[in-house]
Amino acid sequence: HEVFRLLRVREIPWLLIENVPFMLQLARGEALAVILSELESLGYRWAYRVVNSRAFGLPQRRLRVYLLAARDADPRSVLFADDAGPPPAAEPRRGLACGFYWTEGIRGLGWAEDGVPTLKGGSALGIPSPPAIVLPDGRVVTPDIRDAERLQGFAADWTLPALSAVRRGQRWKLVGNAVTVDVAAWIGQRLRAPGAPVVSAGPALEPGDPWPKAAWNVGEGRRAALASEWPVRMAARPLHTFLEYEPALLSAKATAGFLRRAAASSLRFPEGFLQTLRQHLAHMQRASS
């Protein structure tokens, strides 16, 4: 509502909003419907697209929806001027690092092969929660904050100045709440140099239809867009070689807590994953005693 108030006070040529993909389902789609209807009533054309940070060569599976609205220009020339399509499905391979949420285990795992799941500002436990990583050598670790910054496209120690004002754990919150630098750069470059849309139109969207992963309305009605989450497809280094700073071993307490939740859940886990965690727990317990 504050955004809309500002738009009524002053005419702004471009508006960019970023949020989690759940925005598409929030209140059964009504939340996004309210936003788009308000933009249309203010005379804006709009387009939105779910984008995966992995498309930019970063080993972090991070999906975010980017909504771009314009008074006079065509937002499709920015968000839909590139589409590399998703990479071909690959068979699971050994020798890769895999990330997961150690704070979960009941309803989800966030398993990411050769990557980490979405870096978050916090967890359901209310604490900063870097994801855990199972390394090819069997160690279960959490990444250093400097590598977390790099996973978001920042330089290492980008959030270090924050320590003059906040607790150390807040650096994780800053990283988790940030927009991936490389995605923002792609949008900024396309704003400076728009291109012809390469994405085809999908079916028309009627009131009450579920929101697709990409759509637009440039004055001719709402339409789905046949866009992938991969506007580009940059080569990525394997996660275990991407990490440049010594990670911390996942503590015995954190490992035991995850294993308890996993035992109480009905989730299916990757082959050998729970055994690796049990071995890690035994190693940590031996080390502490």
Side-chain angles (χ1 to χ4, degrees):
H1 295 296
E2 183 65 11
V3 170
F4 297 141
R5 184 190 70 80
L6 293 171
L7 294 179
R8 294 188 191 98
V9 170
R10 180 175 179 181
E11 184 174 302
I12 297 172
W14 290 95
L15 172 69
L16 177 63
I17 300 174
E18 175 262 6
N19 214 313
V20 296
F22 183 69
M23 172 60 71
L24 305 181
Q25 289 87 43
L26 185 61
R28 298 183 178 180
E30 184 60 25
L32 184 59
V34 168
I35 293 171
L36 297 180
S37 295
E38 188 70 22
L39 289 173
E40 290 163 353
S41 72
L42 292 169
Y44 281 88
R45 305 169 179 180
W46 57 262
Y48 73 77
R49 181 177 189 173
V50 174
V51 175
N52 192 334
S53 293
R54 292 199 83 153
F56 296 83
L58 297 169
Q60 179 194 181
R61 186 188 63 229
R62 186 183 188 88
L63 301 178
R64 289 295 184 268
V65 58
Y66 295 87
L67 169 61
L68 184 65
R71 292 284 298 183
D72 302 309
D74 186 343
R76 296 177 301 178
S77 66
V78 176
L79 288 187
F80 298 133
D82 304 286
D83 197 328
E91 293 293 326
R93 291 182 292 157
R94 294 188 178 275
L96 295 176
C98 296
F100 68 99
Y101 291 131
W102 62 267
T103 53
E104 299 188 11
I106 293 290
R107 293 183 299 274
L109 178 62
W111 185 258
E113 186 175 285
D114 200 22
V116 298
T118 304
L119 295 173
K120 300 187 292 186
S123 71
L125 303 179
I127 57 176
S129 56
I133 301 171
V134 180
L135 293 174
D137 62 11
R139 288 182 297 156
V140 184
V141 301
T142 58
D144 187 273
I145 182 63
R146 292 167 290 185
D147 276 328
E149 292 165 329
R150 296 175 57 245
L151 284 162
Q152 279 283 57
F154 293 106
D157 275 331
W158 185 261
T159 62
L160 182 61
L163 290 184
S164 64
V166 299
R167 298 187 305 275
R168 184 172 298 277
Q170 291 294 99
R171 292 181 67 182
W172 283 99
K173 187 170 184 178
L174 291 171
V175 170
N177 286 342
V179 174
T180 303
V181 173
D182 303 68
V183 183
W186 164 67
I187 295 175
Q189 289 159 3
R190 275 300 179 194
L191 281 166
R192 294 187 64 182
V198 298
V199 171
S200 301
L205 296 174
E206 303 296 335
D209 285 349
W211 295 109
K213 290 187 176 181
W216 70 60
N217 184 358
V218 292
E220 301 168 356
R222 299 175 178 179
R223 299 197 71 89
L226 304 181
S228 76
E229 298 167 356
W230 298 67
V232 298
R233 197 156 73 228
M234 299 181 181
R237 291 165 54 190
L239 175 60
H240 66 281
T241 65
F242 178 91
L243 302 176
E244 294 184 352
Y245 298 90
E246 186 64 26
L249 292 172
L250 188 66
S251 71
K253 180 179 179 181
T255 307
F258 178 87
L259 285 170
R260 282 195 301 272
R261 293 189 295 275
S265 78
S266 58
L267 295 175
R268 296 179 63 183
F269 297 95
E271 183 180 356
F273 168 61
L274 294 182
Q275 179 61 24
T276 297
L277 282 182
R278 294 187 190 102
Q279 292 172 349
H280 174 75
L281 176 60
H283 168 76
M284 296 298 290
Q285 290 172 334
R286 288 194 300 270
S288 65
S289 62

